[in-house]
Amino acid sequence: MAEPLEFSAMTKRYGAATVLSDVSLRLSPGRVHALMGENGAGKSTLIKLLAGVVPADSMLVRQGARTLPLRSAADAHAAGFRVIHQELNIVPQLSVAENILLGQPIPQRFGLLVHWAELARRARAALAELGVSHMDVRRQAGGLGTGDRMLVKIAAALVQDAGQTACLYVLDEPTAALNGAEAEKLFAVIGRLKQQGAAILYVSHRMAEVMDICDDVTVLRNGRHILTTEIAQTSRDQIIHAMTGRDVADAYPPRRTPLGDAVVCAAEGVSTARLTGLTFTLRQGEILGVAGLAGAGQGDVLSLFLGSVRPTAGKAVLSGGVLPTSPAQAWARGVAHVPQERRSEGLMMRMGVRANALLPHLTGVIARKGPERRRVADLSAAVNLKAAGPEQSLWQLSGGNQQKVMFARAMAGQPKLLLLGEPTRGIDVGARFEIYKLIRALADGGCGVLLSSTDLPELLGLCDRILVLQAGRQATILSPDGMAPADLLGALQAAPLALETT
Amino acid sequence: MISQLRQAGTLIGLVLIVVFFTVQLPETFLTARNLINVSQQISMLAVVAFAMTVVMVMTDFDLSVGSMASLAGIVAAVLFTADQPVWLAVVAALAVGVLGGVVNGVLVAVLGILPFVATLGTLTIYSGAAFWISDGKTIFGRDIPKGFSEFARGGVSLDAVGFAGVSLPYMTILALVVLAVVWVTLEHTTYGRRLYAIGGNAEAARLAGVRVRWLRLSAFAITGLGAAVAGLMYASRVASANPTQGAGLMLDAIAAVFLGMTMGKEGEPRALATLVGVLILGILDNGLTQMKVDSYVREMLVGTIVIAAVATSSIGRRA
């Protein structure tokens, strides 16, 4: 077995800003090491230094008695480091097999034609090493789900190792876009890599999986090393405290006003193309969770009241009237929406805070900059947005601040119904609590909230009731009182019959 | 700082071009008469480019503007030969422009065809229609009424402001009016703000309550109208109508918008920036012609400048 990798004195400055300051890290073979910290803590920079894509101002890398040079991506690769970045850059037009063997010499027949059978065989062999057999390597990679894409990228990293073994895998937020089953597959693969004696550096915001699959943890804050310990020796609260410098007692702000009597929206026996049997009422000030495994139909529950999906059967009402038939109508009737895919469905990344926050609320013919700027300044203060001003482009903001712009947009219209899709996905712990406070403040003000999330503690912490979907069917509505995340997960997975018998 | 310099780069380029020609052509270039002449030469391109800016704000294109300009000129001329009054011919030509734009809009916004493909198709259709209606012939001479062709020759005298014997052409004034309308529409109306939002992220805009289909359709109609205005200006200027006379406008208009986009904070098109693009193309054309540079060399030079401007502006962006 290889010797541990020791990184020391890792420092990186950009201009006057020191983003990583004298950080050390020791990664042992056969162990999964979590790297945690809020956005901006220096995690991405550290990964870039390991990958050799950004030059360090100082860094010493040792493996046993050897000192490893690490000045370029080629150095990192020669040292046996494999970095699987957060963005899954596959080539959608090519087959799975071609993606796995991308950058490798292509097997040929007669020195001219692609030897497809050999290509497929090698790709299958790489997947088999990961214990993956369900994938057709000849299909186009563009049709793969996010989880399978991740497996393809890991297989590609394995293939590169023909003749030499990787000693370190770096996984950057690998589960950010995976559903439960896909994540389980990934964890199995990580287990296998561990057994083969590789060290794994695992970057994630998800506390629960870090506690489950990691052996050690290092926490960074503001570019500094705060804590390194064995997972078994620490607790969730200690890690969060190390990350934020705060305690987490008030993670989920409690309700301050009682539920109203008026019904904000309701459904009775509603079906859509992907959903059946939706029946619920949402009262003023209530937060109703919408839970399910990926593909259970959560999206349609929100889309129904946003007017972007039409019911095929049943009856649904929005503040006493019929459903909106377009998002334009929905916003006009007091519905606000924070979409699940912030970048593709929510934000105009190259436009400013003002344009993004006020888009649904433009009225009249003439747009007046002065009043708009003042309004955005008020909204920015309300959501505690950290931006250089109302015209700063969104791509320059952190993920948490981008999401605050989405909340500013939602709050600007004083909504009666708030539709939330994964409101804290990919958002660090500090910003997450601020967003919970915003959701609670809106609900306390009488707004009804439909909260679709795959973060189970979040559902349990915020919601008054949780509507459970199983494979496109409404299974039940639960009260979160006294429930643990494991109970809720069980409810999402249980077959409907089994649920009735327990 | 660097980004401001980059944004100003194209404007600096324009100033350098003006300085260069002023030095090279000390007698003729920087004179009121020549500048007025330039403004008239570029007025048609300017109108098409401003109209093109409206769709390019949404990251769409309209390749059919050139043949639409030809078609509009032909429609007016055919009505002139049928002894219809000037006002009726002008209204009919503009209506054809709006209609052609609506067709583009339906193809793009309702049927979801890529703008490049849709307007490449209608480019051919409108061009064919122009040939068909005119029988492939140029309509000129006595068929074109004086009231129509005099528009391009007339202007407002500038005697009162100290330029004796010089007048500001109606064509230039019309281009400035179109600029003002497009600028106000894009920068100061909620309509324009929504177009920019569509350009930023069409799906996000739709989910945020923007009626994307309707807006895209109407924007193409505006561009079609602008192309028809330019076609009428052209027909008035040469006192004739020919089924191919608008053909050169499309590429120059897109080039002008691209030049202008180099000045945007995030590379977005802006009406006033498009004006800078139009001025660069127009002044180059005027100056190089005066310096007796071969027209083929001129074309190669213009292409090189467009690429150089866009390339330098993308260097360092997002770095």
Side-chain angles (χ1 to χ4, degrees):
Chain A
M1 192 166 276
E3 290 170 279
L5 283 163
E6 295 190 55
F7 301 85
S8 50
M10 301 173 91
T11 297
K12 178 66 192 172
R13 293 182 205 91
Y14 288 109
T18 303
V19 289
L20 209 57
S21 170
D22 194 22
V23 171
S24 303
L25 193 63
R26 182 188 159 93
L27 303 174
S28 305
R31 288 177 79 83
V32 183
H33 196 119
L35 179 64
M36 302 200 72
E38 302 191 81
N39 291 340
K43 297 177 311 240
S44 336
T45 306
L46 191 148
I47 292 173
K48 283 178 190 155
L49 297 191
L50 293 193
V53 296
V54 162
D57 289 311
S58 84
M59 171 165 68
L60 192 62
V61 190
R62 300 173 66 85
Q63 190 168 29
R66 283 194 306 148
T67 302
L68 303 177
L70 191 52
R71 278 181 297 271
S72 67
D75 283 348
H77 194 261
F81 300 175
R82 303 288 175 266
V83 180
I84 292 151
H85 291 284
Q86 194 173 351
E87 291 82 20
L88 292 172
N89 299 317
I90 61 156
V91 185
Q93 294 88 348
L94 297 184
S95 68
V96 169
E98 287 167 284
N99 269 286
I100 290 176
L101 293 161
L102 209 60
Q104 303 291 311
I106 295 172
Q108 291 181 330
R109 260 188 229 267
F110 319 124
L112 186 67
L113 302 174
V114 176
H115 195 329
W116 290 105
E118 173 65 10
L119 191 74
R121 194 192 60 74
R122 285 196 209 168
R124 266 188 228 110
L127 286 171
E129 264 193 74
L130 302 176
V132 175
S133 57
H134 69 278
M135 229 185 287
D136 175 4
V137 297
R138 289 167 186 261
R139 69 181 282 203
Q140 273 199 346
L144 295 180
T146 328
D148 285 346
R149 287 177 186 217
M150 175 67 72
L151 296 175
V152 166
K153 289 305 283 188
I154 297 175
L158 283 177
V159 165
Q160 293 180 354
D161 300 336
Q164 55 163 332
T165 32
C167 62
L168 170 65
Y169 287 90
V170 179
L171 301 176
D172 188 5
E173 298 260 9
T175 54
L178 302 193
N179 66 33
E182 291 170 333
E184 288 302 327
K185 250 184 259 166
L186 177 71
F187 298 155
V189 168
I190 290 174
R192 220 169 254 262
L193 295 173
K194 235 172 105 164
Q195 278 176 0
Q196 289 167 7
I200 291 151
L201 184 65
Y202 189 88
V203 183
S204 176
H205 282 308
R206 295 195 178 179
M207 196 59 74
E209 65 190 34
V210 165
M211 304 302 285
D212 274 356
I213 70 161
C214 297
D215 303 299
D216 308 292
V217 58
T218 288
V219 176
L220 302 181
R221 187 166 79 224
N222 296 329
R224 286 171 195 283
H225 178 265
I226 302 293
L227 172 81
T228 294
T229 176
E230 283 185 32
I231 290 283
Q233 307 294 317
T234 186
S235 67
R236 176 178 170 275
D237 286 2
Q238 194 194 357
I239 294 175
I240 292 179
H241 188 268
M243 285 167 65
T244 60
R246 297 187 281 275
D247 282 320
V248 287
D250 57 350
Y252 299 104
R255 158 176 306 290
R256 265 185 237 98
T257 56
L259 291 190
D261 290 325
V263 171
V264 175
C265 68
E268 209 185 309
V270 168
S271 297
T272 69
R274 274 166 299 208
L275 194 64
T276 55
L278 189 67
T279 301
F280 71 90
T281 56
L282 179 72
R283 290 158 66 192
Q284 272 186 343
E286 186 176 24
I287 303 180
L288 178 63
V290 181
L293 301 176
Q298 303 89 313
D300 271 15
V301 180
L302 304 193
S303 301
L304 206 54
F305 293 95
L306 187 63
S308 58
V309 158
R310 301 295 297 154
T312 51
K315 191 166 170 274
V317 292
L318 171 65
S319 35
V322 294
L323 284 180
T325 56
S326 69
Q329 249 184 43
W331 282 93
R333 288 176 56 192
V335 176
H337 177 226
V338 175
Q340 179 170 329
E341 304 294 337
R342 191 160 60 235
R343 280 165 168 262
S344 60
E345 298 175 348
L347 294 167
M348 292 148 289
M349 298 300 287
R350 285 176 163 258
M351 298 177 72
V353 173
R354 175 172 62 100
N356 272 285
L358 297 185
L359 181 60
H361 313 294
L362 299 173
T363 51
V365 174
I366 301 299
R368 294 169 36 149
K369 268 187 196 170
E372 285 188 1
R373 287 218 172 108
R374 284 193 288 281
R375 194 167 171 206
V376 168
D378 291 346
L379 286 168
S380 299
V383 299
N384 194 17
L385 178 73
K386 289 183 190 73
E391 307 304 331
Q392 186 170 29
S393 298
L394 266 280
W395 63 266
Q396 296 173 319
L397 301 180
S398 69
N401 279 307
Q402 289 172 2
Q403 188 69 330
K404 287 179 186 172
V405 173
M406 292 303 302
F407 272 86
R409 177 193 286 178
M411 288 165 67
Q414 281 150 353
K416 296 192 196 96
L417 171 62
L418 177 60
L419 307 173
L420 298 176
E422 302 288 351
T424 58
R425 172 181 285 179
I427 286 173
D428 67 58
V429 176
R432 186 177 287 236
F433 294 158
E434 292 188 57
I435 282 171
Y436 292 151
K437 275 190 225 155
L438 292 174
I439 297 172
R440 176 56 73 200
L442 279 162
D444 280 340
C447 177
V449 180
L450 284 178
L451 167 63
S452 162
S453 176
T454 48
D455 187 322
L456 303 180
E458 169 176 298
L459 285 170
L460 294 171
L462 278 177
C463 297
D464 297 292
R465 292 180 302 153
I466 300 171
L467 189 158
V468 175
L469 299 173
Q470 289 171 351
R473 252 187 88 249
Q474 178 173 339
T476 178
I477 294 182
L478 303 169
S479 161
D481 292 340
M483 268 189 118
D487 302 333
L488 181 53
L489 184 62
L492 304 188
Q493 288 162 340
L497 272 177
L499 200 74
E500 278 162 28
T501 54
T502 50
Chain B
M1 182 59 209
I2 291 168
S3 96
Q4 270 134 17
L5 198 65
R6 193 184 58 223
Q7 281 177 45
T10 304
L11 200 56
I12 293 168
L14 173 62
V15 172
L16 290 180
I17 289 169
V18 171
V19 170
F20 174 77
F21 286 131
T22 310
V23 173
Q24 291 290 316
L25 303 161
E27 304 288 307
T28 52
F29 182 73
L30 209 60
T31 61
R33 189 173 299 281
N34 187 49
L35 295 183
I36 291 289
N37 188 21
V38 170
S39 79
Q40 183 163 20
Q41 279 169 1
I42 63 172
S43 59
M44 292 151 288
L45 170 62
V47 168
V48 177
F50 298 145
M52 182 71 83
T53 307
V54 176
V55 281
M56 285 183 71
V57 158
M58 307 180 299
T59 67
D60 287 336
F61 282 98
D62 186 348
L63 303 182
S64 71
V65 285
S67 53
M68 174 48 73
S70 306
L71 179 61
I74 290 287
V75 165
V78 165
L79 288 172
F80 292 147
T81 54
D83 284 333
Q84 297 297 324
V86 171
W87 71 265
L88 183 68
V90 167
V91 169
L94 296 179
V96 166
V98 172
L99 191 69
V102 167
V103 170
N104 285 333
V106 168
L107 294 177
V108 172
V110 181
L111 299 182
I113 302 173
L114 283 176
F116 189 91
V117 179
T119 60
L120 187 63
T122 54
L123 177 159
T124 316
I125 294 171
Y126 301 157
S127 172
F131 274 98
W132 182 52
I133 295 173
S134 66
D135 252 349
K137 291 194 276 269
T138 302
I139 300 166
F140 63 104
R142 249 177 301 158
D143 289 332
I144 309 295
K146 274 216 149 48
F148 181 73
S149 52
E150 269 171 1
F151 174 81
R153 288 173 184 71
V156 177
S157 168
L158 294 181
D159 289 348
V161 287
F163 293 99
V166 184
S167 62
L168 192 60
Y170 291 133
M171 300 269 274
T172 305
I173 296 171
L174 181 55
L176 288 173
V177 169
V178 172
L179 171 63
V181 169
V182 170
W183 178 73
V184 169
T185 305
L186 289 182
E187 304 290 333
H188 292 286
T189 66
T190 52
Y191 178 84
R193 297 280 303 283
R194 291 188 175 106
L195 293 192
Y196 277 107
I198 293 172
N201 185 341
E203 175 63 4
R206 187 183 72 84
L207 291 173
V210 173
R211 297 181 189 278
V212 174
R213 259 183 213 186
W214 165 242
L215 289 178
R216 273 180 107 185
L217 200 161
S218 63
F220 272 97
I222 291 173
T223 303
L225 175 63
V229 170
L232 289 173
M233 290 165 75
Y234 211 117
S236 169
R237 178 133 192 270
V238 294
S240 64
N242 172 303
T244 62
Q245 68 192 9
L249 288 170
M250 178 264 286
L251 285 174
D252 280 349
I254 293 179
V257 180
F258 270 128
L259 280 173
M261 281 163 71
T262 62
M263 300 169 63
K265 180 174 157 231
E266 295 283 0
E268 74 282 4
R270 300 268 170 199
L272 292 176
T274 297
L275 173 65
V276 173
V278 169
L279 286 174
I280 288 177
L281 294 181
I283 288 173
L284 270 178
D285 202 41
N286 174 276
L288 293 174
T289 309
Q290 288 191 52
M291 287 174 66
K292 306 208 166 48
V293 175
D294 189 277
S295 72
Y296 303 123
V297 176
R298 218 156 66 210
E299 282 181 20
M300 296 189 325
L301 202 61
V302 168
T304 309
I305 285 173
V306 171
I307 291 172
V310 175
T312 49
S313 82
S314 59
I315 291 169
R317 195 180 286 282
R318 276 211 193 223

